[in-house]
Amino acid sequence: MKLYSYFRSSAAYRVRIALNLKGIEVEQVGVHLVKEGGRQNTPEYRAHNPQGLVPALELDDGTVITQSLAIIDYLEAIRPEPRLVPADPVLAAKARAVALTIACDIHPLNNLRVLNYLKGPLGHSQQEADEWYRHWILEGGLDAVEALIEGGRFCFGDSPSVADICLIPQVFNARRFKIDISHLKKIEAVDRHCKELPAFLDAHPRRQPDTEI
Amino acid sequence: MKLYSYFRSSAAYRVRIALNLKGIEVEQVGVHLVKEGGRQNTPEYRAHNPQGLVPALELDDGTVITQSLAIIDYLEAIRPEPRLVPADPVLAAKARAVALTIACDIHPLNNLRVLNYLKGPLGHSQQEADEWYRHWILEGGLDAVEALIEGGRFCFGDSPSVADICLIPQVFNARRFKIDISHLKKIEAVDRHCKELPAFLDAHPRRQPDTEI
């Protein structure tokens, strides 16, 4: 399988963690989101993913699966162990809700295409775009996640789930933009713990084939 | 079970369709998103859902599940028939990807809280907010969904899935804001077909206990 990825994409980062946790090897194909106006916008890439976003997983028969959380559920179906969605329906729903809080209500608002729209057509300054970014990471975002997770070593229970897989890349983004999250004690503890695990370490944006310093 | 809902919320509309398809009855509790500065922002409601968003499903033991797609997966777990996620892993991934394209990359950008932020702190006019709305419904949104779905009676195959459950409320929103989607032929056909089904009809914003004309 091939994973269309970009080292700094937090949605691609989620899929890299899931692949590592399940021990599935794929070929990574870097899609540079900035060079040449964004290579995700080329007709060649849009033929794979009409949304023009990464990640996308191409199966060996050429079928392409888009959307990080759909890819993770696909991986769960073809390689059930270790589980990334808890077996208990209520716990599964709680883990999925945290993943979706991040994947729906934080990340898309702060995505490159949205920041470009704010600074381009809407004429906002970098400072206003940064304040937008900070606002949506916290308000109804990580502030809510802090209340929703159990905390401890992982968001829920004793093994990483789809909640942790979405949380760690979002914390990386928050730190990258120097957003203070030191009041989010459970999130900081989960982040510290996950960072000790090879599956998370090896998925880090600094360690990918297409990484730029 | 209780569903915290708002008649016009397209995320709540999704859950109402799923409940109807599965024949699960719940008590609907209206949370008015506009009156009194938005009742989703009260401490009472935030105690149920720290995100301050609808929908939220309260189980009989008081546990609350947030996020429409997490609620739908929970319903799928406790009442597996009729299936809302196809059994085949690839088809399941495709249906989930369409649902997530709408739930992540269209809806949160056009949510009330975001439109309020554009018109409030960022000082944009109603016309600029409307153009923002139109842009994200189409670009990488329904334009991509049109390419991703098979089409026919439903998005995929011969029965409604989570893809249709997310699509129909999004089409309702597009029409409400008078956005021309007549070039999206597959979407229009699926919308026409779903509108004939009682599960979709009864979930419509005009037919809820808290509906206002």
Side-chain angles (χ1 to χ4, degrees), chain A residues 53-93:
Chain A
L53 297 173
V54 293
L57 183 72
E58 186 174 318
L59 311 186
D60 292 339
D61 70 358
T63 301
V64 176
I65 299 174
T66 62
Q67 288 287 337
S68 61
L69 293 181
I71 295 171
I72 291 170
D73 268 307
Y74 174 76
L75 299 176
E76 189 85 341
I78 63 165
R79 179 82 58 98
E81 298 295 333
R83 295 191 74 100
L84 303 181
V85 178
D88 174 71
V90 172
L91 205 55

Side-chain angles (χ1 to χ4, degrees), chain B residues 32-49:
Chain B
H32 204 293
L33 300 190
V34 181
K35 279 188 186 159
E36 299 164 14
R39 289 185 185 143
Q40 73 281 18
N41 298 317
T42 60
E44 291 73 25
Y45 186 69
R46 294 254 173 175
H48 295 302
N49 181 356

Side-chain angles (χ1 to χ4, degrees), chain A residues 46 50-51 53 66-67 70 73-74 89 93 96-97 100-101 103-105 108-109 113-114 117 124 132 135-136 139-140 144, chain B residues 46 51 53 66-67 70 73-74 89 93 96-97 100-101 103-105 108-109 113-114 117 124 132 135-136 139-140 144:
Chain A
R46 294 255 174 174
Q51 273 206 286
L53 297 173
T66 62
Q67 288 287 337
D73 268 307
Y74 174 76
R96 283 189 189 278
L100 289 160
T101 295
C104 297
D105 294 326
L109 289 160
R113 62 185 193 137
V114 175
Y117 192 91
H124 288 291
W132 166 279
H135 179 80
W136 299 116
E139 166 57 26
Chain B
R46 294 254 173 175
Q51 274 204 287
L53 296 173
T66 62
Q67 288 288 337
D73 268 307
Y74 174 76
R96 284 189 188 278
L100 289 160
T101 295
C104 296
D105 294 326
L109 289 161
R113 62 184 194 139
V114 175
Y117 192 92
H124 288 292
W132 167 278
H135 179 81
W136 299 116
E139 165 59 28

